[in-house]
Amino acid sequence: MKPNKGKTCTRERDYVYKFSAGNQHLVLTVPLKFPVQENISHLHGRLMLLHNLPCFIESDLKQSLNKFIEEETIKDYDREAEMALEAVKSGKVDINQLADTWAKAYKETTLEYAKPEETSWDEDFADVYHDLIHSPASEMLLNLEHNYFVSISELISERDVELKKLRERQGAEMDKVMQELGKSLTDQDVNSLAAQHFESQQDLENKWTNELKQSTAIQKQEYQEWVIKLHQDLKNPNNSSVSDEIKVQPSQLRESVEGNGRIYEEQRLLEESFTIHLGAQLKTMHNLRLLRADMLDFCKHKRNHRSGVKLHRLQTAMSLYSTSLCGLVLLVDNRISSYSGIKRENRSSGNEDKLKNIERNQSNILPGEFYITRHSNLSEIHVAFHLCVDDNVRSGNITARDPAIMGLRNILKVCCTHDITTISIPLLLVHDMSEEMTIPWCLKRAELVFKCVKGFMMEMASWDGGVSRTVQFLVPQTISEEMFYQLSNMLPQIFRVSSTLTLTSKH
Protein backbone atom coordinates (compact mmCIF):
# COMPACT_ATOMS: atom_id res chain seq x y z
CA MET A 1 0.00 0.00 0.00
CA LYS A 2 1.44 3.36 -1.01
CA PRO A 3 1.56 6.28 1.43
CA ASN A 4 -1.03 8.96 0.96
CA LYS A 5 0.42 11.67 -1.24
CA GLY A 6 -2.15 14.23 -0.23
CA LYS A 7 -1.08 14.53 3.42
CA THR A 8 2.01 13.86 5.50
CA CYS A 9 1.26 11.57 8.45
CA THR A 10 4.68 11.33 10.05
CA ARG A 11 4.90 9.98 13.57
CA GLU A 12 7.95 9.50 15.75
CA ARG A 13 8.31 6.37 17.86
CA ASP A 14 11.12 5.07 20.00
CA TYR A 15 12.72 1.79 19.04
CA VAL A 16 13.96 0.04 22.17
CA TYR A 17 16.45 -2.83 22.05
CA LYS A 18 17.71 -4.57 25.19
CA PHE A 19 20.78 -6.79 25.31
CA SER A 20 23.36 -8.06 27.78
CA ALA A 21 27.14 -7.79 27.62
CA GLY A 22 28.66 -9.86 30.39
CA ASN A 23 27.11 -8.74 33.67
CA GLN A 24 25.80 -5.51 32.17
CA HIS A 25 22.21 -5.08 30.92
CA LEU A 26 22.10 -2.40 28.27
CA VAL A 27 19.23 -0.62 26.51
CA LEU A 28 19.44 1.01 23.07
CA THR A 29 16.76 3.65 22.38
CA VAL A 30 16.50 5.15 18.91
CA PRO A 31 13.77 7.60 17.73
CA LEU A 32 12.38 6.62 14.33
CA LYS A 33 10.06 8.59 12.06
CA PHE A 34 7.26 6.64 10.40
CA PRO A 35 6.75 5.85 7.62
CA VAL A 36 10.43 4.84 7.50
CA GLN A 37 11.90 5.98 4.17
CA GLU A 38 15.45 4.85 4.81
CA ASN A 39 16.80 1.46 3.73
CA ILE A 40 16.62 -0.78 6.81
CA SER A 41 19.98 -2.45 6.12
CA HIS A 42 21.63 0.99 5.92
CA LEU A 43 19.90 2.06 9.16
CA HIS A 44 21.06 -1.10 10.91
CA GLY A 45 24.66 -0.60 9.81
CA ARG A 46 24.62 3.01 10.94
CA LEU A 47 23.35 2.04 14.40
CA MET A 48 26.10 -0.56 14.77
CA LEU A 49 28.75 1.98 13.81
CA LEU A 50 27.52 5.07 15.69
CA HIS A 51 26.81 3.31 18.99
CA ASN A 52 29.84 1.02 18.79
CA LEU A 53 27.66 -2.04 19.38
CA PRO A 54 29.25 -5.50 19.84
CA CYS A 55 29.29 -7.74 16.79
CA PHE A 56 27.51 -10.67 18.53
CA ILE A 57 24.21 -8.74 18.56
CA GLU A 58 24.38 -7.70 14.88
CA SER A 59 22.09 -10.42 13.55
CA ASP A 60 19.60 -10.23 16.43
CA LEU A 61 19.47 -6.42 16.22
CA LYS A 62 18.67 -6.55 12.52
CA GLN A 63 15.84 -9.04 13.03
CA SER A 64 14.43 -7.02 15.92
CA LEU A 65 14.63 -3.76 13.95
CA ASN A 66 12.92 -5.30 10.94
CA LYS A 67 10.14 -6.73 13.10
CA PHE A 68 9.56 -3.42 14.91
CA ILE A 69 9.35 -1.37 11.72
CA GLU A 70 7.05 -3.92 10.05
CA GLU A 71 4.66 -4.10 13.00
CA GLU A 72 4.49 -0.34 13.46
CA THR A 73 3.97 0.23 9.75
CA ILE A 74 1.08 -2.25 9.67
CA LYS A 75 -0.47 -0.51 12.67
CA ASP A 76 -0.28 2.81 10.80
CA TYR A 77 -1.89 1.27 7.71
CA ASP A 78 -4.64 -0.27 9.81
CA ARG A 79 -5.25 3.04 11.54
CA GLU A 80 -5.46 4.89 8.20
CA ALA A 81 -7.77 2.20 6.83
CA GLU A 82 -10.08 2.53 9.81
CA MET A 83 -10.19 6.29 9.38
CA ALA A 84 -10.96 5.90 5.66
CA LEU A 85 -13.78 3.44 6.35
CA GLU A 86 -15.19 5.72 9.01
CA ALA A 87 -15.14 8.60 6.52
CA VAL A 88 -17.14 6.51 4.05
CA LYS A 89 -19.63 5.42 6.70
CA SER A 90 -20.16 8.98 7.90
CA GLY A 91 -20.71 10.24 4.35
CA LYS A 92 -17.66 12.50 4.27
CA VAL A 93 -16.48 10.66 1.14
CA ASP A 94 -18.66 10.10 -1.93
CA ILE A 95 -18.87 6.34 -2.33
CA ASN A 96 -19.59 6.55 -6.06
CA GLN A 97 -16.54 8.70 -6.67
CA LEU A 98 -14.47 6.30 -4.60
CA ALA A 99 -15.73 3.34 -6.64
CA ASP A 100 -14.88 5.12 -9.91
CA THR A 101 -11.39 5.86 -8.62
CA TRP A 102 -10.83 2.22 -7.68
CA ALA A 103 -12.21 0.98 -11.00
CA LYS A 104 -9.93 3.33 -12.92
CA ALA A 105 -6.93 2.19 -10.90
CA TYR A 106 -7.70 -1.47 -11.61
CA LYS A 107 -8.15 -0.85 -15.32
CA GLU A 108 -4.88 1.06 -15.61
CA THR A 109 -2.73 -1.31 -13.56
CA THR A 110 -4.31 -4.79 -13.86
CA LEU A 111 -4.36 -6.51 -17.24
CA GLU A 112 -7.32 -8.68 -16.30
CA TYR A 113 -9.57 -5.64 -15.88
CA ALA A 114 -8.10 -3.51 -18.67
CA LYS A 115 -10.11 -2.72 -21.77
CA PRO A 116 -8.99 -4.58 -24.89
CA GLU A 117 -6.88 -2.37 -27.13
CA GLU A 118 -8.80 -1.11 -30.12
CA THR A 119 -7.03 -1.51 -33.43
CA SER A 120 -6.27 1.74 -35.21
CA TRP A 121 -7.23 2.52 -38.79
CA ASP A 122 -3.62 2.08 -39.85
CA GLU A 123 -3.53 -1.40 -38.36
CA ASP A 124 -6.78 -2.33 -40.10
CA PHE A 125 -5.45 -1.05 -43.42
CA ALA A 126 -2.20 -2.97 -42.91
CA ASP A 127 -4.14 -6.22 -42.47
CA VAL A 128 -6.28 -5.54 -45.53
CA TYR A 129 -3.28 -4.64 -47.71
CA HIS A 130 -1.36 -7.70 -46.50
CA ASP A 131 -4.28 -9.95 -47.47
CA LEU A 132 -4.65 -8.40 -50.92
CA ILE A 133 -0.94 -8.36 -51.81
CA HIS A 134 -0.81 -12.11 -51.07
CA SER A 135 -3.83 -12.78 -53.28
CA PRO A 136 -4.44 -12.77 -57.06
CA ALA A 137 -5.30 -9.06 -56.67
CA SER A 138 -1.62 -8.24 -56.10
CA GLU A 139 -1.01 -7.30 -59.73
CA MET A 140 -3.93 -4.88 -59.65
CA LEU A 141 -2.43 -3.17 -56.61
CA LEU A 142 1.01 -2.85 -58.17
CA ASN A 143 -0.37 -1.65 -61.48
CA LEU A 144 -2.31 1.14 -59.81
CA GLU A 145 0.69 2.09 -57.68
CA HIS A 146 2.81 2.21 -60.83
CA ASN A 147 0.39 4.54 -62.59
CA TYR A 148 0.41 6.82 -59.54
CA PHE A 149 4.21 6.75 -59.63
CA VAL A 150 4.27 7.72 -63.31
CA SER A 151 1.87 10.62 -62.69
CA ILE A 152 4.11 12.04 -59.98
CA SER A 153 7.21 11.48 -62.12
CA GLU A 154 5.62 13.48 -64.93
CA LEU A 155 4.83 16.33 -62.54
CA ILE A 156 8.43 16.33 -61.32
CA SER A 157 9.72 16.39 -64.89
CA GLU A 158 7.46 19.35 -65.67
CA ARG A 159 8.72 21.11 -62.56
CA ASP A 160 12.36 20.55 -63.49
CA VAL A 161 11.78 21.81 -67.05
CA GLU A 162 10.02 24.94 -65.80
CA LEU A 163 12.74 25.67 -63.24
CA LYS A 164 15.42 25.14 -65.88
CA LYS A 165 13.74 27.57 -68.27
CA LEU A 166 13.37 30.14 -65.51
CA ARG A 167 17.06 29.89 -64.57
CA GLU A 168 18.14 30.17 -68.20
CA ARG A 169 15.98 33.26 -68.69
CA GLN A 170 17.27 34.80 -65.48
CA GLY A 171 20.83 33.99 -66.48
CA ALA A 172 20.39 35.83 -69.77
CA GLU A 173 18.88 38.82 -67.97
CA MET A 174 21.76 38.92 -65.51
CA ASP A 175 24.32 38.76 -68.33
CA LYS A 176 22.75 41.82 -69.98
CA VAL A 177 22.75 43.70 -66.69
CA MET A 178 26.39 42.84 -66.02
CA GLN A 179 27.34 44.21 -69.44
CA GLU A 180 25.76 47.55 -68.48
CA LEU A 181 27.32 47.56 -65.02
CA GLY A 182 29.32 50.77 -64.55
CA LYS A 183 27.69 52.39 -67.56
CA SER A 184 23.98 52.88 -67.10
CA LEU A 185 23.53 50.50 -64.14
CA THR A 186 25.01 50.29 -60.62
CA ASP A 187 25.69 47.52 -58.10
CA GLN A 188 22.38 48.31 -56.47
CA ASP A 189 20.60 47.51 -59.75
CA VAL A 190 22.40 44.15 -59.93
CA ASN A 191 21.50 43.30 -56.33
CA SER A 192 17.89 44.29 -56.91
CA LEU A 193 17.66 42.02 -59.98
CA ALA A 194 19.30 39.13 -58.09
CA ALA A 195 16.74 39.53 -55.30
CA GLN A 196 13.90 39.49 -57.84
CA HIS A 197 15.33 36.34 -59.45
CA PHE A 198 15.61 34.61 -56.09
CA GLU A 199 12.04 35.52 -55.16
CA SER A 200 10.76 34.24 -58.50
CA GLN A 201 12.54 30.95 -58.04
CA GLN A 202 11.15 30.59 -54.54
CA ASP A 203 7.62 31.30 -55.73
CA LEU A 204 7.90 28.73 -58.51
CA GLU A 205 9.40 26.08 -56.23
CA ASN A 206 6.69 26.68 -53.62
CA LYS A 207 4.02 26.38 -56.28
CA TRP A 208 5.34 23.00 -57.43
CA THR A 209 5.89 21.80 -53.87
CA ASN A 210 2.25 22.50 -53.01
CA GLU A 211 1.05 20.85 -56.21
CA LEU A 212 3.08 17.72 -55.54
CA LYS A 213 1.86 17.57 -51.94
CA GLN A 214 -1.73 17.91 -53.06
CA SER A 215 -1.36 15.26 -55.75
CA THR A 216 0.29 12.73 -53.43
CA ALA A 217 -2.34 13.36 -50.73
CA ILE A 218 -5.15 12.77 -53.24
CA GLN A 219 -3.45 9.63 -54.53
CA LYS A 220 -2.97 8.28 -51.02
CA GLN A 221 -6.60 8.82 -50.07
CA GLU A 222 -7.88 7.34 -53.33
CA TYR A 223 -5.60 4.35 -53.02
CA GLN A 224 -6.57 3.58 -49.43
CA GLU A 225 -10.28 3.85 -50.22
CA TRP A 226 -9.83 1.67 -53.30
CA VAL A 227 -7.96 -1.01 -51.32
CA ILE A 228 -10.69 -1.15 -48.65
CA LYS A 229 -13.46 -1.35 -51.25
CA LEU A 230 -11.64 -4.02 -53.23
CA HIS A 231 -11.15 -6.11 -50.11
CA GLN A 232 -14.85 -5.86 -49.27
CA ASP A 233 -15.76 -6.68 -52.86
CA LEU A 234 -13.62 -9.80 -52.89
CA LYS A 235 -15.34 -10.97 -49.71
CA ASN A 236 -18.64 -10.86 -51.60
CA PRO A 237 -18.26 -12.87 -54.85
CA ASN A 238 -21.70 -11.71 -56.06
CA ASN A 239 -20.57 -8.08 -56.13
CA SER A 240 -18.05 -7.41 -58.89
CA SER A 241 -18.79 -3.71 -59.40
CA VAL A 242 -15.53 -2.57 -57.86
CA SER A 243 -13.45 -4.90 -60.00
CA ASP A 244 -15.23 -3.82 -63.18
CA GLU A 245 -15.00 -0.13 -62.31
CA ILE A 246 -11.42 0.22 -61.14
CA LYS A 247 -9.55 -2.80 -62.50
CA VAL A 248 -6.32 -1.74 -64.21
CA GLN A 249 -5.60 -3.74 -67.34
CA PRO A 250 -1.95 -4.43 -68.20
CA SER A 251 -2.37 -2.58 -71.50
CA GLN A 252 -3.21 0.58 -69.56
CA LEU A 253 0.18 0.72 -67.84
CA ARG A 254 2.17 3.81 -68.65
CA GLU A 255 5.92 3.79 -68.99
CA SER A 256 8.10 5.69 -66.59
CA VAL A 257 10.84 7.66 -68.27
CA GLU A 258 13.77 9.47 -66.74
CA GLY A 259 14.48 13.08 -67.54
CA ASN A 260 16.91 12.05 -70.30
CA GLY A 261 14.34 9.78 -71.92
CA ARG A 262 15.74 6.43 -70.78
CA ILE A 263 13.53 3.79 -69.21
CA TYR A 264 14.92 2.48 -65.93
CA GLU A 265 16.89 -0.54 -67.09
CA GLU A 266 19.92 -0.48 -64.79
CA GLN A 267 21.32 -3.87 -63.99
CA ARG A 268 23.90 -4.78 -61.41
CA LEU A 269 26.95 -5.99 -63.26
CA LEU A 270 28.96 -7.55 -60.44
CA GLU A 271 27.74 -9.48 -57.42
CA GLU A 272 29.18 -12.00 -54.95
CA SER A 273 27.29 -13.83 -52.19
CA PHE A 274 28.57 -15.47 -49.01
CA THR A 275 27.12 -17.39 -46.06
CA ILE A 276 28.72 -16.94 -42.65
CA HIS A 277 28.21 -18.10 -39.08
CA LEU A 278 28.89 -15.68 -36.22
CA GLY A 279 28.74 -16.16 -32.47
CA ALA A 280 30.84 -17.47 -29.60
CA GLN A 281 28.78 -20.50 -28.60
CA LEU A 282 25.39 -20.38 -30.27
CA LYS A 283 26.23 -19.39 -33.84
CA THR A 284 23.85 -17.52 -36.12
CA MET A 285 23.86 -17.80 -39.89
CA HIS A 286 23.95 -14.59 -41.92
CA ASN A 287 24.05 -13.85 -45.63
CA LEU A 288 26.53 -11.33 -47.02
CA ARG A 289 26.50 -9.83 -50.49
CA LEU A 290 29.01 -7.62 -52.26
CA LEU A 291 27.52 -5.64 -55.12
CA ARG A 292 28.67 -3.03 -57.58
CA ALA A 293 25.57 -0.90 -57.93
CA ASP A 294 24.05 2.54 -57.58
CA MET A 295 22.47 3.01 -54.16
CA LEU A 296 19.40 4.57 -55.75
CA ASP A 297 18.80 1.44 -57.85
CA PHE A 298 17.16 0.09 -54.70
CA CYS A 299 14.71 2.98 -54.77
CA LYS A 300 13.85 3.34 -58.45
CA HIS A 301 11.18 1.32 -60.20
CA LYS A 302 12.46 -0.86 -63.01
CA ARG A 303 10.88 -2.47 -66.02
CA ASN A 304 11.33 -6.12 -66.89
CA HIS A 305 11.93 -6.79 -70.57
CA ARG A 306 10.41 -10.24 -70.52
CA SER A 307 7.12 -9.39 -68.85
CA GLY A 308 7.02 -5.82 -70.15
CA VAL A 309 4.80 -4.59 -67.32
CA LYS A 310 5.74 -6.65 -64.28
CA LEU A 311 7.07 -4.37 -61.57
CA HIS A 312 10.30 -5.27 -59.85
CA ARG A 313 8.96 -4.53 -56.40
CA LEU A 314 6.48 -7.39 -55.84
CA GLN A 315 8.59 -9.00 -53.12
CA THR A 316 9.03 -5.63 -51.42
CA ALA A 317 5.28 -5.06 -51.39
CA MET A 318 4.60 -8.54 -50.02
CA SER A 319 6.90 -7.90 -47.04
CA LEU A 320 5.69 -4.32 -46.42
CA TYR A 321 3.69 -5.18 -43.28
CA SER A 322 5.91 -7.95 -41.95
CA THR A 323 8.84 -8.70 -39.66
CA SER A 324 11.28 -8.90 -42.58
CA LEU A 325 11.82 -5.31 -43.68
CA CYS A 326 14.58 -4.02 -45.96
CA GLY A 327 16.69 -0.94 -45.22
CA LEU A 328 19.28 1.18 -47.00
CA VAL A 329 21.97 3.56 -45.72
CA LEU A 330 22.25 6.83 -47.66
CA LEU A 331 25.12 9.20 -46.93
CA VAL A 332 23.92 12.81 -46.70
CA ASP A 333 25.12 16.21 -45.49
CA ASN A 334 24.05 17.83 -42.23
CA ARG A 335 21.21 19.93 -43.64
CA ILE A 336 17.94 18.14 -42.95
CA SER A 337 15.79 20.66 -44.82
CA SER A 338 17.82 20.72 -48.05
CA TYR A 339 17.34 18.56 -51.12
CA SER A 340 20.75 18.47 -52.77
CA GLY A 341 22.92 15.61 -54.00
CA ILE A 342 21.67 12.11 -53.36
CA LYS A 343 18.83 13.41 -51.17
CA ARG A 344 17.41 15.34 -54.10
CA GLU A 345 17.65 12.31 -56.43
CA ASN A 346 15.90 10.08 -53.90
CA ARG A 347 13.21 12.70 -53.34
CA SER A 348 12.73 13.18 -57.08
CA SER A 349 11.79 9.54 -57.65
CA GLY A 350 8.22 10.41 -56.72
CA ASN A 351 8.08 8.20 -53.64
CA GLU A 352 6.34 8.78 -50.35
CA ASP A 353 8.53 10.26 -47.63
CA LYS A 354 7.03 10.03 -44.15
CA LEU A 355 9.72 11.71 -42.09
CA LYS A 356 7.82 13.68 -39.46
CA ASN A 357 8.39 17.42 -39.03
CA ILE A 358 11.21 17.46 -41.59
CA GLU A 359 10.17 20.85 -42.94
CA ARG A 360 9.84 22.49 -39.55
CA ASN A 361 13.21 21.31 -38.25
CA GLN A 362 15.83 23.76 -39.48
CA SER A 363 18.60 22.60 -37.14
CA ASN A 364 21.60 20.80 -38.54
CA ILE A 365 22.65 17.35 -37.39
CA LEU A 366 26.13 16.15 -36.51
CA PRO A 367 28.26 13.59 -38.37
CA GLY A 368 27.30 10.10 -37.25
CA GLU A 369 23.71 11.07 -36.53
CA PHE A 370 20.95 9.92 -38.83
CA TYR A 371 17.27 10.31 -39.52
CA ILE A 372 14.88 7.70 -40.86
CA THR A 373 12.30 7.83 -43.62
CA ARG A 374 9.70 5.09 -44.09
CA HIS A 375 8.51 4.17 -47.58
CA SER A 376 5.72 2.02 -48.93
CA ASN A 377 6.33 2.15 -52.67
CA LEU A 378 10.05 2.11 -53.36
CA SER A 379 11.51 -0.62 -55.49
CA GLU A 380 13.39 -2.74 -52.96
CA ILE A 381 13.45 -1.02 -49.57
CA HIS A 382 11.02 -0.01 -46.85
CA VAL A 383 13.32 2.15 -44.70
CA ALA A 384 16.05 4.64 -45.59
CA PHE A 385 18.66 5.62 -43.00
CA HIS A 386 20.04 9.06 -43.90
CA LEU A 387 23.47 9.00 -42.24
CA CYS A 388 25.19 12.36 -41.86
CA VAL A 389 28.86 12.37 -42.91
CA ASP A 390 31.37 15.12 -43.59
CA ASP A 391 34.43 15.43 -45.83
CA ASN A 392 36.45 13.44 -43.30
CA VAL A 393 35.15 10.18 -44.82
CA ARG A 394 37.15 10.95 -47.96
CA SER A 395 40.39 10.99 -46.01
CA GLY A 396 42.37 7.83 -45.50
CA ASN A 397 42.86 8.07 -41.75
CA ILE A 398 39.45 7.41 -40.19
CA THR A 399 39.30 4.87 -37.34
CA ALA A 400 36.75 2.54 -35.80
CA ARG A 401 35.68 5.41 -33.51
CA ASP A 402 34.84 7.72 -36.41
CA PRO A 403 31.30 9.15 -36.22
CA ALA A 404 30.36 7.49 -39.53
CA ILE A 405 31.37 4.06 -38.22
CA MET A 406 29.54 4.59 -34.93
CA GLY A 407 26.54 5.73 -36.94
CA LEU A 408 26.55 2.35 -38.73
CA ARG A 409 26.55 0.62 -35.34
CA ASN A 410 23.53 2.61 -34.18
CA ILE A 411 21.75 1.90 -37.47
CA LEU A 412 22.30 -1.85 -37.05
CA LYS A 413 20.91 -1.57 -33.53
CA VAL A 414 17.74 0.06 -34.88
CA CYS A 415 17.51 -2.77 -37.42
CA CYS A 416 17.52 -5.28 -34.56
CA THR A 417 14.76 -3.54 -32.64
CA HIS A 418 12.50 -2.84 -35.63
CA ASP A 419 12.49 -6.08 -37.66
CA ILE A 420 14.77 -4.87 -40.46
CA THR A 421 16.43 -8.09 -41.58
CA THR A 422 18.09 -6.84 -44.78
CA ILE A 423 20.33 -3.77 -44.75
CA SER A 424 22.41 -2.29 -47.60
CA ILE A 425 25.56 -0.38 -46.61
CA PRO A 426 28.00 1.69 -48.73
CA LEU A 427 31.20 -0.28 -48.12
CA LEU A 428 33.60 2.59 -48.78
CA LEU A 429 31.39 5.16 -46.99
CA VAL A 430 31.14 7.12 -50.24
CA HIS A 431 28.69 6.98 -53.14
CA ASP A 432 31.10 8.18 -55.83
CA MET A 433 34.76 7.55 -56.54
CA SER A 434 37.30 10.38 -56.78
CA GLU A 435 40.98 10.72 -57.62
CA GLU A 436 42.26 10.32 -54.06
CA MET A 437 40.51 6.95 -53.70
CA THR A 438 43.36 4.75 -54.88
CA ILE A 439 43.53 0.96 -54.63
CA PRO A 440 45.34 1.09 -51.24
CA TRP A 441 42.75 3.63 -50.01
CA CYS A 442 39.87 1.35 -51.04
CA LEU A 443 41.43 -1.76 -49.50
CA LYS A 444 42.14 0.02 -46.21
CA ARG A 445 38.63 1.50 -46.02
CA ALA A 446 36.94 -1.80 -46.94
CA GLU A 447 38.95 -3.70 -44.33
CA LEU A 448 37.94 -1.19 -41.65
CA VAL A 449 34.23 -1.35 -42.52
CA PHE A 450 34.24 -5.15 -42.85
CA LYS A 451 35.85 -5.61 -39.44
CA CYS A 452 33.64 -3.06 -37.72
CA VAL A 453 30.43 -4.46 -39.22
CA LYS A 454 31.51 -7.97 -38.20
CA GLY A 455 31.92 -6.76 -34.62
CA PHE A 456 28.55 -5.02 -34.72
CA MET A 457 26.89 -8.16 -36.10
CA MET A 458 28.33 -10.20 -33.23
CA GLU A 459 26.82 -7.63 -30.87
CA MET A 460 23.47 -8.21 -32.53
CA ALA A 461 23.15 -11.58 -30.80
CA SER A 462 22.84 -9.76 -27.47
CA TRP A 463 20.42 -7.23 -29.00
CA ASP A 464 17.94 -9.56 -30.68
CA GLY A 465 18.82 -13.07 -29.50
CA GLY A 466 20.46 -14.10 -32.77
CA VAL A 467 18.30 -13.42 -35.84
CA SER A 468 19.57 -14.38 -39.28
CA ARG A 469 20.12 -11.29 -41.41
CA THR A 470 21.29 -10.23 -44.86
CA VAL A 471 23.91 -7.48 -45.09
CA GLN A 472 24.67 -6.06 -48.52
CA PHE A 473 27.92 -4.15 -49.07
CA LEU A 474 27.62 -1.78 -52.02
CA VAL A 475 30.50 -0.22 -53.95
CA PRO A 476 30.12 2.56 -56.56
CA GLN A 477 29.44 1.57 -60.16
CA THR A 478 32.58 3.33 -61.34
CA ILE A 479 34.88 0.99 -59.41
CA SER A 480 36.99 -1.33 -61.57
CA GLU A 481 36.40 -5.07 -61.84
CA GLU A 482 39.91 -5.72 -60.53
CA MET A 483 39.17 -3.67 -57.41
CA PHE A 484 35.80 -5.40 -56.96
CA TYR A 485 37.34 -8.87 -56.96
CA GLN A 486 40.07 -7.79 -54.56
CA LEU A 487 37.32 -6.71 -52.16
CA SER A 488 35.52 -9.98 -52.84
CA ASN A 489 38.63 -11.94 -51.85
CA MET A 490 39.04 -9.86 -48.69
CA LEU A 491 35.54 -10.51 -47.36
CA PRO A 492 35.87 -14.28 -46.62
CA GLN A 493 39.23 -13.64 -44.96
CA ILE A 494 37.61 -11.30 -42.42
CA PHE A 495 34.31 -13.13 -41.98
CA ARG A 496 34.09 -16.86 -41.32
CA VAL A 497 32.56 -18.14 -44.53
CA SER A 498 30.75 -21.46 -44.42
CA SER A 499 32.31 -24.08 -46.66
CA THR A 500 30.41 -26.86 -48.36
CA LEU A 501 31.12 -30.49 -47.51
CA THR A 502 30.80 -33.10 -50.26
CA LEU A 503 29.96 -36.62 -49.10
CA THR A 504 30.80 -39.57 -51.34
CA SER A 505 29.78 -43.16 -50.73
CA LYS A 506 32.26 -46.02 -50.92
CA HIS A 507 31.36 -48.87 -53.28
Side-chain angles (χ1 to χ4, degrees), residues 51-78:
H51 297 280
N52 197 22
L53 299 176
C55 60
F56 61 83
I57 71 166
E58 182 175 359
S59 178
D60 185 64
L61 174 64
K62 188 171 185 179
Q63 292 179 5
S64 173
L65 182 62
N66 272 318
K67 182 179 179 182
F68 174 77
I69 292 176
E70 183 179 356
E71 290 178 349
E72 293 300 320
T73 301
I74 291 175
K75 289 180 182 178
D76 284 343
Y77 286 156
D78 290 343

Side-chain angles (χ1 to χ4, degrees), residues 113-154:
Y113 300 99
K115 291 183 178 179
E117 292 186 4
E118 298 180 358
T119 57
S120 64
W121 191 93
D122 289 336
E123 291 174 338
D124 291 337
F125 179 80
D127 293 336
V128 170
Y129 182 87
H130 190 77
D131 290 342
L132 289 179
I133 203 66
H134 289 82
S135 73
S138 60
E139 189 168 354
M140 297 170 61
L141 292 176
L142 296 181
N143 288 345
L144 184 57
E145 285 184 20
H146 182 71
N147 282 348
Y148 282 153
F149 160 73
V150 174
S151 298
I152 296 298
S153 298
E154 290 175 352

Side-chain angles (χ1 to χ4, degrees), residues 183-250:
K183 300 177 183 177
S184 60
L185 298 175
T186 63
D187 290 339
Q188 186 176 357
D189 296 323
V190 175
N191 294 336
S192 177
L193 180 62
Q196 292 176 15
H197 286 176
F198 178 77
E199 186 175 351
S200 299
Q201 288 186 24
Q202 289 292 103
D203 291 341
L204 186 59
E205 288 179 358
N206 290 337
K207 169 206 163 188
W208 278 106
T209 298
N210 293 332
E211 187 167 343
L212 285 169
K213 280 184 180 179
Q214 185 177 3
S215 298
T216 52
I218 292 173
Q219 286 184 356
K220 181 177 179 179
Q221 183 178 355
E222 287 180 352
Y223 184 76
Q224 290 174 338
E225 292 175 354
W226 181 81
V227 167
I228 298 296
K229 289 180 66 177
L230 177 61
H231 186 259
Q232 295 172 349
D233 182 59
L234 292 179
K235 282 186 175 180
N236 182 9
N238 297 325
N239 182 11
S240 59
S241 59
V242 177
S243 299
D244 296 337
E245 179 183 353
I246 316 180
K247 184 176 181 181
V248 180
Q249 299 294 338

Side-chain angles (χ1 to χ4, degrees), residues 241-426:
S241 59
V242 177
S243 299
D244 296 337
E245 179 183 353
I246 316 180
K247 184 176 181 181
V248 180
Q249 299 294 338
S251 60
Q252 295 175 327
L253 277 177
R254 302 152 61 190
E255 293 184 348
S256 59
V257 181
E258 286 184 317
N260 59 5
R262 290 189 298 108
I263 297 175
Y264 292 140
E265 296 177 352
E266 295 86 348
Q267 296 180 355
R268 301 179 190 117
L269 301 178
L270 297 176
E271 176 181 334
E272 293 283 348
S273 299
F274 306 88
T275 300
I276 64 169
H277 290 83
L278 292 178
Q281 296 179 345
L282 183 61
K283 297 186 180 298
T284 304
M285 185 182 73
H286 301 280
N287 297 315
L288 303 181
R289 299 175 71 196
L290 178 66
L291 299 94
R292 185 176 73 173
D294 186 348
M295 297 294 288
L296 293 182
D297 283 350
F298 292 86
C299 304
K300 298 174 181 175
H301 292 277
K302 306 175 183 65
R303 291 183 55 83
N304 189 310
H305 285 298
R306 294 180 181 177
S307 64
V309 296
K310 189 70 176 177
L311 291 177
H312 188 71
R313 60 175 300 275
L314 177 60
Q315 184 61 39
T316 310
M318 294 181 72
S319 58
L320 177 59
Y321 296 104
S322 73
T323 56
S324 300
L325 301 177
C326 299
L328 173 73
V329 178
L330 291 175
L331 306 176
V332 298
D333 56 32
N334 65 343
R335 296 168 297 171
I336 294 181
S337 59
S338 70
Y339 299 106
S340 60
I342 198 166
K343 286 189 291 187
R344 184 177 182 87
E345 293 181 38
N346 191 24
R347 182 74 172 182
S348 297
S349 59
N351 299 304
E352 180 184 3
D353 182 350
K354 294 185 178 178
L355 178 64
K356 296 181 178 179
N357 300 327
I358 189 171
E359 294 177 354
R360 293 194 296 271
N361 187 1
Q362 300 297 326
S363 61
N364 293 342
I365 60 176
L366 300 174
E369 297 179 338
F370 61 90
Y371 54 92
I372 301 172
T373 55
R374 298 175 298 163
H375 304 270
S376 61
N377 59 351
L378 294 185
S379 177
E380 298 182 52
I381 66 166
H382 309 100
V383 178
F385 296 93
H386 303 258
L387 176 62
C388 175
V389 296
D390 54 18
D391 291 337
N392 190 46
V393 296
R394 295 186 172 272
S395 68
N397 57 357
I398 70 170
T399 66
R401 304 299 300 176
D402 188 85
I405 297 292
M406 299 311 298
L408 288 180
R409 178 184 181 274
N410 294 330
I411 287 174
L412 289 176
K413 193 166 186 178
V414 172
C415 292
C416 290
T417 56
H418 291 80
D419 298 323
I420 301 172
T421 56
T422 300
I423 183 70
S424 300
I425 298 172

